[in-house]
Amino acid sequence: LFKHKRALFVLCLLSAAFTPVYVGVVFFGFIPEHRCFSPGVAELSQRCGWSLEEQLNYTVPEWGGHRTGFSSHCRRYEVDWNMTGVSCTDPLGSLVGNQSAVPLGPCWDGWVYDTPGTSLVTEFNLVCEDSWKLDLFQSCVNTGFFLGSVSIGYIADRFGRKLCLLVTVLINAVSGVLMAFAPSYTWTVIFRLIQGLVSKGGWLTGYVLIAEFVGSNYRRAVGITYQLAFTLGLLILTALAYVLPHWRWLQLTVTLPNFFFLLYYWCLPESPRWLISQKQNDKAMEAIKHIAKGNKKNLPLSFQNLSSEDEDGEKLKPSFVDLVRTPQIRKHTFILMYSW
């Protein structure tokens, strides 16, 4: 079973590498504590010898130590902190007199973020009025998952598991690297959408491929193992995000291993079951012999008698109707759709 175990191992690596696309927004889109940048505040704080907490209490609206108000994150006092004669004990009172009448305005000069690293939020200022852009970023990934799962599943049935897997891996790797160097928010979303289009479909193709390598008695075990690798990927992603607090470096680090998966062209055979369904019995026989040789097993007579006598018959053509064609398949399809 060496060949089967090796195939399962290399495909589990693919499963683990899928996690950054699936849940990466938790780290790429981390929202740190933030407040408006107000010109002159840093100089005034230095002159007055304020601590950071004193500076925030004096110069940030509704700060009060709880740090949860909209005004403390998204509004600033519309005063000139660079004016001469500003009091160090009552700065607002010395500027406007009545503190309750201090006008508030948006963060014209950007924000200050309390984090040593960077994220999509800190780099593109996806807070306050632009906070919806972070939701759009993840929504594009999910849209890609939906479209890609449907279309790539059909492509894998039509052109083969192995070819589909390699093409999705290549596109995912290239778009992931481009995202790490994206010059703007728009390009970041575009490259993330492309990753969504191919990554989920590629993950599902790997799942189908390993399930078709083994007999029905082992199918459940390899399926669970494949998904356990995804869970391991979550732990590895968390550790990497802890070590790499800058989102571009993190994106590059989790993407580069995908190029390694292109080596699967030489170490993974095509699914014999798919080859047989396409009446390519000679190629299926070659794949089966290759697997048997790696496992140091002799082929049963039932496999040795496999021939191309049926190759003139009609190939099985995939169709979405297959999902609801029979009562049993229809029941399984609706149960899985409801569960997801």
Side-chain angles (χ1 to χ4, degrees):
L1 296 178
F2 174 76
K3 281 286 185 180
H4 291 88
K5 291 178 180 178
R6 188 180 72 175
L8 176 60
F9 174 74
V10 296
L11 286 173
C12 281
L13 295 179
L14 179 73
S15 179
F18 172 57
T19 53
V21 181
Y22 198 74
V23 297
V25 68
V26 174
F27 304 106
F28 300 135
F30 170 67
I31 307 174
E33 280 293 335
H34 54 279
R35 59 189 181 276
C36 293
F37 173 75
S38 299
V41 165
E43 292 78 4
L44 178 62
S45 177
Q46 185 177 9
R47 178 173 65 85
C48 293
W50 292 336
S51 65
L52 177 60
E53 193 62 32
E54 288 175 324
Q55 174 189 319
L56 298 178
N57 285 329
Y58 284 140
T59 61
V60 178
E62 300 180 10
W63 186 257
H66 54 78
R67 310 189 183 189
T68 57
F70 173 80
S71 294
S72 61
H73 291 147
C74 303
R75 292 292 179 264
R76 71 178 190 182
Y77 292 123
E78 290 290 335
V79 297
D80 184 3
W81 297 106
N82 290 310
M83 289 183 62
T84 58
V86 178
S87 170
C88 290
T89 55
D90 185 16
L92 285 177
S94 64
L95 286 170
V96 296
N98 185 3
Q99 293 191 23
S100 61
V102 181
L104 300 180
C107 303
W108 299 113
D109 297 289
W111 286 262
V112 176
Y113 298 97
D114 295 331
T115 176
T118 60
S119 69
L120 290 168
V121 172
T122 63
E123 183 162 335
F124 301 120
N125 290 325
L126 306 184
V127 292
C128 301
E129 286 79 6
D130 285 336
S131 60
W132 62 271
K133 292 183 178 180
L134 183 60
D135 298 325
L136 177 64
F137 173 81
Q138 185 62 18
S139 296
C140 286
V141 178
N142 293 331
T143 300
F145 286 164
F146 173 72
L147 297 176
S149 297
V150 174
S151 59
I152 291 176
Y154 176 83
I155 293 171
D157 284 344
R158 181 70 177 83
F159 300 102
R161 318 316 194 193
K162 183 176 177 179
L163 176 63
C164 181
L165 184 69
L166 293 173
V167 170
T168 54
V169 164
L170 177 61
I171 296 175
N172 183 42
V174 172
S175 58
V177 171
L178 291 174
M179 177 183 156
F181 294 97
S184 66
Y185 166 79
T186 302
W187 280 110
T188 302
V189 170
I190 291 173
F191 293 135
R192 197 61 163 180
L193 173 61
I194 296 174
Q195 279 198 298
L197 285 170
V198 296
S199 59
K200 183 67 177 291
W203 185 86
L204 291 173
T205 302
Y207 184 93
V208 171
L209 188 57
I210 190 58
E212 291 180 343
F213 273 158
V214 300
S216 57
N217 292 337
Y218 298 97
R219 201 166 293 162
R220 183 177 300 173
V222 298
I224 293 174
T225 304
Y226 188 76
Q227 297 190 63
L228 284 175
F230 176 86
T231 305
L232 179 62
L234 290 174
L235 301 178
I236 295 173
L237 174 62
T238 305
L240 288 174
Y242 179 81
V243 175
L244 300 170
H246 299 281
W247 79 270
R248 290 186 184 271
W249 283 109
L250 178 61
Q251 170 66 15
L252 192 62
T253 301
V254 299
T255 299
L256 289 178
N258 284 275
F259 288 101
F260 164 80
F261 300 142
L262 296 176
L263 298 176
Y264 288 6
Y265 178 83
W266 290 278
C267 61
L268 276 182
E270 179 57 274
S271 166
R273 296 176 187 272
W274 179 82
L275 291 170
I276 294 172
S277 73
Q278 299 300 301
K279 307 303 179 184
Q280 300 181 35
N281 290 3
D282 289 339
K283 292 183 179 179
M285 195 65 201
E286 290 179 13
I288 292 172
K289 288 181 178 178
H290 180 70
I291 293 173
K293 182 179 179 181
N295 291 335
K296 298 180 180 179
K297 300 285 186 180
N298 294 321
L299 284 179
L301 289 176
S302 58
F303 284 98
Q304 292 176 355
N305 294 330
L306 184 66
S307 66
S308 58
E309 59 183 5
D310 296 327
E311 285 189 358
D312 294 333
E314 184 180 356
K315 294 181 181 179
L316 296 178
K317 295 183 179 179
S319 170
F320 293 115
V321 179
D322 294 338
L323 295 173
V324 293
R325 191 180 300 278
T326 66
Q328 187 74 354
I329 289 295
R330 190 159 52 243
K331 180 182 74 173
H332 291 170
T333 296
F334 290 144
I335 288 174
L336 289 173
M337 289 175 66
Y338 174 77
S339 297
W340 276 106

